[in-house]
Amino acid sequence: MIQIDVNSGPLIAWLMEQGLQGAPQQDLLQGYCQRLVAAGVPLWRFTVAQRAFHPKFGGLGFWWTREEGIRHEHYEYRESPREEWLRSPFFYILEQDLEEYRERLEGGAPERFPLLGELHGRGATDYFAAGVRFAPPEAGPNNPLSPHEGMLASWSTDRKGGFSSRELDLIRTTLPHLGLALKSSSNRQMASDLLQVYLGRDAGRRVLSGEIQRGSSQQIDAVICLFDLKGFTQLSERLPGSELIDMLNGYFGLAVESVQSHGGNILKFMGDGMLAMFNLGSIEEDAHAALAAANELCGKVRSFNAAREAEGLPTASYTLALHAGDILYGNIGAENRLDFTVIGQTVNQTARIADMHRSVGQSFIISEVVKNAAEGTGHDLVSLGRYMLRGVAEPIELYTIYGKNCVAACAGEQ
């Protein structure tokens, strides 16, 4: 029977406060460990493992030690589980559907758990592990290879004699409250991660902060970037679906990396195209960043295509258009399906400029607005002439950037 420790009240109250505030996971766990120690628990090492709802990472782990404090690690998705995980006490708890597991280590550690042997070698005398399940009972038993949402935690000490019954009761009493606080923190982090992945960094932040009303928008000056792969329709007719997706992700990965590394935001993907925006504070900053990103992307695509050709894989070239001006940025759509995006004349004109690539014989085209704002960047901007664009009343002068790498990558030459 668990004995309620007098020290559990303040710790529980603190955990509930942190949960209500949505404290960051690392701050929450750091504070929890410090308060356990202050309550007399001889904690030497503490760990937490959770599932991660993220397109790239399947799990998240936190470690706290008396010497180093808190740290964390993300675990990428794998086709087969790591051997370290399969031979861990956490996996054993899930596999055997246990509520908790304890191993006294002063006399040695069981061979089936290499981790416990390592902890014993470092001076650990006692190991205690338990979990908190966030899923409802009707979700059924846990599959250790794909567990329900929840957390697994372990506590280790290096004190002679290990943990006392009172200390373990304090841990057990406060564990559900730790789980609830961590769930609150994790849910907010999960929402932030997914919104940024699916909406873009800036749009995700705005939605999470409450900008969710249909029709809410603001007018801003920004540089719009429209990236589009050339010849992808023809490739899609002769490549298997999996190869096509891998190829598309490869090019999009380069484009996203270049845009984001220079402060831009990805707004949406449209088939084999991508719409992005640079809004760094002034139109000059936006233009400088957009040109730097475009120039970087040229070199990356050139190297990427060379590597694919060396492997006998198909390659693609691309078009890229930059234009700047006023845009409306906000929530557009129906009551039950909204999109946080950009609309306006500037966006439409960017699409018209991109369509000019055949007429001007260039795949990288920028407007005179961007060119004028980008003075002093050091890029060799060459005029392509003045043109009347469809739906635009006044002629507009178009430019391209000259550079061996950029010309070759855009044109698909090697």
Side-chain angles (χ1 to χ4, degrees), residues 200-238:
R201 295 183 300 186
D202 184 68
R205 177 187 59 80
R206 289 172 181 265
V207 169
L208 193 61
S209 67
E211 295 185 37
I212 56 177
Q213 185 177 357
R214 183 170 63 143
S216 65
S217 63
Q218 66 178 121
Q219 186 166 311
I220 61 174
D221 282 337
V223 169
I224 295 296
C225 172
L226 187 57
F227 167 89
D228 194 46
L229 288 173
K230 295 169 65 176
F232 208 76
T233 301
Q234 290 77 11
L235 285 171
S236 67
E237 294 174 353
R238 60 184 178 88

Side-chain angles (χ1 to χ4, degrees), residues 251 254 296-310 315 405 408-409 413-414:
Y251 286 107
L254 298 178
E296 178 183 297
L297 176 60
C298 287
K300 287 183 176 180
V301 171
R302 180 177 175 83
S303 298
F304 183 70
N305 281 347
R308 287 184 64 86
E309 286 195 342
T315 62
N405 288 344
E413 300 170 1
Q414 300 297 320

Side-chain angles (χ1 to χ4, degrees), residues 143-405:
N143 175 355
L145 295 177
S146 181
H148 297 308
E149 186 183 0
M151 59 168 278
L152 289 166
S154 73
W155 300 257
S156 303
T157 183
D158 55 359
R159 185 183 66 184
K160 185 177 181 180
F163 291 117
S164 69
S165 297
R166 183 198 69 81
E167 292 158 355
L168 290 179
D169 285 343
L170 174 60
I171 290 173
R172 293 186 180 103
T173 301
T174 58
L175 179 57
H177 306 280
L178 172 63
L180 189 59
L182 193 57
K183 180 180 181 181
S184 171
S185 176
S186 301
N187 283 350
R188 183 168 183 83
Q189 185 62 52
M190 176 180 67
S192 176
D193 290 343
L194 292 179
L195 284 171
Q196 289 189 37
V197 167
Y198 282 95
L199 297 183
R201 295 183 300 186
D202 184 68
R205 177 187 59 80
R206 289 172 181 265
V207 169
L208 193 61
S209 67
E211 295 185 37
I212 56 177
Q213 185 177 357
R214 183 170 63 143
S216 65
S217 63
Q218 66 178 121
Q219 186 166 311
I220 61 174
D221 282 337
V223 169
I224 295 296
C225 172
L226 187 57
F227 167 89
D228 194 46
L229 288 173
K230 295 169 65 176
F232 208 76
T233 301
Q234 290 77 11
L235 285 171
S236 67
E237 294 174 353
R238 60 184 178 88
L239 287 180
S242 59
E243 291 183 24
L244 192 71
I245 293 297
D246 286 344
M247 183 179 180
L248 190 61
N249 285 339
Y251 286 107
F252 276 157
L254 298 178
V256 169
E257 183 180 29
S258 297
V259 168
Q260 291 186 339
S261 67
H262 292 278
N265 286 289
I266 309 303
L267 297 171
K268 63 174 63 181
F269 296 99
M270 306 165 293
D272 56 3
M274 182 186 83
L275 183 65
M277 174 183 73
F278 291 84
N279 179 33
L280 281 70
S282 72
I283 199 67
E284 290 78 18
E285 289 179 279
D286 300 339
H288 286 210
L291 283 174
N295 195 54
E296 178 183 297
L297 176 60
C298 287
K300 287 183 176 180
V301 171
R302 180 177 175 83
S303 298
F304 183 70
N305 281 347
R308 287 184 64 86
E309 286 195 342
E311 296 179 23
L313 299 173
T315 62
S317 55
Y318 68 93
T319 62
L320 190 145
L322 297 177
H323 187 38
D326 293 341
I327 60 173
L328 282 174
Y329 184 41
N331 285 290
I332 300 164
E335 291 183 356
N336 62 352
R337 180 61 175 89
L338 292 172
D339 191 10
F340 206 102
T341 188
V342 292
I343 61 170
Q345 188 179 38
T346 300
V347 181
N348 297 336
Q349 290 179 0
T350 307
R352 302 285 185 269
I353 291 171
D355 288 341
M356 292 293 293
H357 68 91
R358 293 186 182 87
S359 299
V360 301
Q362 296 292 330
S363 295
F364 181 23
I365 311 172
I366 68 174
S367 71
E368 59 185 316
V369 181
V370 175
K371 185 262 182 187
N372 292 336
E375 293 293 345
T377 59
H379 297 293
D380 190 359
L381 303 180
V382 180
S383 175
L384 300 173
R386 299 176 74 210
Y387 295 87
M388 293 296 300
L389 303 182
R390 181 166 55 91
V392 180
E394 300 291 333
I396 181 172
E397 188 162 5
L398 302 178
Y399 294 80
T400 191
I401 186 171
Y402 177 77
K404 183 178 179 181
N405 288 344

Side-chain angles (χ1 to χ4, degrees), residues 85-130:
W85 165 245
L86 296 176
R87 300 185 65 190
S88 71
F90 282 175
F91 184 85
Y92 179 73
I93 288 175
L94 294 174
E95 186 180 44
Q96 301 298 318
D97 197 23
L98 303 177
E99 291 186 3
E100 58 183 52
Y101 171 80
R102 184 184 186 187
E103 193 72 55
R104 296 180 182 274
L105 302 175
E106 286 182 302
E111 293 184 2
R112 63 180 174 181
F113 299 133
L115 170 65
L116 298 189
E118 177 189 338
L119 295 181
H120 169 70
R122 294 167 57 190
T125 59
D126 204 353
Y127 175 90
F128 176 75

